[in-house]
Amino acid sequence: MSEPASRDHYSYTLYADPDVARKFDDRRFGGPIGELVAATQARVLANFVGRIQGRPILDVGTGTGRAALLMARGGATVTGVDASDEMLAIARQRAREQGLSVTFENGDAHKLPFRDRAFDVVISLRVIMHTPRWTDCVGELCRVADQLVILDYPSRRSVARPVQPSPSGNSAGPPRRPLA
């Protein structure tokens, strides 16, 4: 197993901001295009997983719990892990409001606190590009998965690119490059 990443990486501080956590879903999935993206993501995820009922599923980088709650609605036994307590608080609130049972834990994708092959399915959506050591994270996803790992990474032409720190060390937003 690898060591947890240094907490000075932008991804730990950005998502620890309560304001970012509160506005996350509206910014990412609000409006007609965001709703289309969310619905498509849910459909594709369900198709990849196949039978959901009764399966142990881990959602790494769960954030506000979108994938975890989707799997719980399908009858899975779900654990969601995220490094942000603020994002987890929203995920827990959403689970309560929807009457769903999901175990949400604070944790680091670089060193997951689970035994080898503990979950049938491990999901990690829009996380890997935000980690300081993505290869360690992919190794951890594979270590705790028994049957299936589902992760995504934006294409080179995607507007959902990794955030790059500015020379001052602050988050400067996605790198700007032509989409030629």
Side-chain angles (χ1 to χ4, degrees):
M1 280 193 284
S2 57
E3 294 300 313
S6 168
R7 290 277 176 163
D8 62 358
H9 187 262
Y10 83 88
S11 61
Y12 293 97
T13 56
L14 177 66
Y15 297 107
D17 180 331
D19 192 50
V20 169
R22 268 192 311 280
K23 295 176 181 175
F24 182 81
D25 282 333
D26 284 342
R27 285 186 176 167
R28 191 162 176 200
F29 299 107
I33 292 174
E35 291 171 9
L36 176 65
V37 168
T40 302
Q41 184 183 67
R43 186 178 63 255
V44 168
L45 189 57
N47 287 339
F48 278 162
V49 172
R51 182 184 57 81
I52 296 171
Q53 179 73 36
R55 295 180 86 177
I57 297 178
L58 176 64
D59 181 17
V60 178
T62 194
T64 60
R66 293 183 65 80
L69 297 171
L70 173 70
M71 295 294 109
R73 279 193 295 279
T77 302
V78 183
T79 302
V81 174
D82 201 280
S84 168
D85 287 325
E86 289 74 13
M87 297 288 266
L88 288 169
I90 291 169
R92 288 182 185 111
Q93 177 184 350
R94 292 177 71 201
R96 277 191 304 274
E97 289 170 356
Q98 295 177 34
L100 297 170
S101 176
V102 177
T103 301
F104 288 110
E105 300 179 11
N106 186 291
D108 191 313
H110 296 87
K111 186 173 182 170
L112 296 169
F114 306 107
R115 65 178 170 74
D116 294 359
R117 303 176 75 159
F119 299 91
D120 282 2
V121 178
V122 176
I123 299 167
S124 186
L125 302 177
R126 296 294 194 224
V127 174
I128 298 301
M129 72 270 211
H130 296 293
T131 62
R133 295 189 325 267
W134 70 270
T135 55
D136 291 350
C137 295
V138 171
E140 281 293 280
L141 300 178
C142 292
R143 181 184 65 78
V144 301
D146 186 45
Q147 298 172 17
L148 180 64
V149 173
I150 301 170
L151 63 92
D152 67 349
Y153 194 91
S155 76
R156 186 177 174 155
R157 297 180 186 271
S158 174
V159 295
R161 294 182 216 120
V163 176
Q164 300 295 317
S166 69
S168 66
N170 296 326
S171 173
R176 303 293 177 210
R177 56 183 179 229
L179 298 176

